[in-house]
């Protein structure tokens, strides 16, 4: 299967809040963490409940309180691992704020780390 991603995924854990409506129209919200972020999507860990595939969600990255980013997304895949449930999201609409304040921010954090900070070989 050919790669469909439009840019690099950065493995980074940012705190997030996801809001959506379930099948009955009830508003739901869940706190979690990103697993990785890309320019047009993200994989997130939600510990308690997951939106259904195809659901529209509102995703807020709360890593930087002075520059929070909220963006609409759609659920494209679920990983229903009991120990670590995950949701793959495709961003919907303009991704300019996301690319600058989440994706590039993640790249900058990763680039600033020294290898020994995350290298288990030492």
């Amino acid at each position: 299967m050919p790669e469909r991603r439009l840019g690099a995924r950065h493995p980074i854990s940012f705190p997030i809040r996801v809001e959506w409506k379930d099948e009955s129209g009830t508003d739901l919200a869940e706190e979690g963490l990103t697993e990785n972020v890309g320019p047009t999507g993200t994989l997130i860990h939600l510990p308690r409940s997951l939106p259904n595939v195809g659901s529209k969600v509102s995703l807020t990255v709360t890593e930087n309180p002075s520059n929070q980013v909220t963006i609409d997304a759609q659920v494209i895949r679920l990983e229903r691992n009991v120990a670590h449930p995950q949701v793959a999201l495709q961003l919907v609409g303009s991704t300019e704020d996301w690319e600058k304040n989440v994706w590039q921010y993640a790249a900058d954090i990763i680039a600033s780390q020294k290898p020994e900070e995350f290298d288990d070989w030492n």
Side-chain angles (χ1 to χ4, degrees), residues 30-89:
E30 181 80 34
E31 306 282 332
L33 295 169
T34 61
E35 298 283 329
N36 64 53
V37 297
T40 61
T42 185
L43 180 65
I44 61 174
H45 165 63
L46 294 177
R48 288 180 290 283
S49 60
L50 303 175
N52 291 326
V53 171
S55 296
K56 304 284 187 192
V57 302
S58 176
L59 172 68
T60 302
V61 179
T62 59
E63 168 69 14
N64 184 352
S66 65
N67 200 16
Q68 288 188 0
V69 174
T70 299
I71 192 163
D72 292 330
Q74 183 172 13
V75 177
I76 58 173
R77 187 181 82 246
L78 298 177
E79 298 291 333
R80 294 187 185 272
N81 178 325
V82 175
H84 199 78
Q86 298 173 319
V87 179
L89 298 173

Side-chain angles (χ1 to χ4, degrees), residues 3-12 14 34 36-43 59 61 69 71-73 76 89-107 110:
E3 178 64 48
R4 297 182 300 191
R5 293 181 182 155
L6 299 176
R9 293 271 173 157
H10 303 304
I12 197 156
F14 288 151
T34 61
N36 64 53
V37 297
T40 61
T42 185
L43 180 65
L59 172 68
V61 179
V69 174
I71 192 163
D72 292 330
I76 58 173
L89 298 173
Q90 176 71 45
L91 306 180
V92 179
S94 173
T95 60
E96 186 176 327
D97 283 345
W98 174 273
E99 287 180 35
K100 176 182 172 189
N101 298 312
V102 178
W103 184 62
Q104 188 57 53
Y105 180 61
I110 292 168

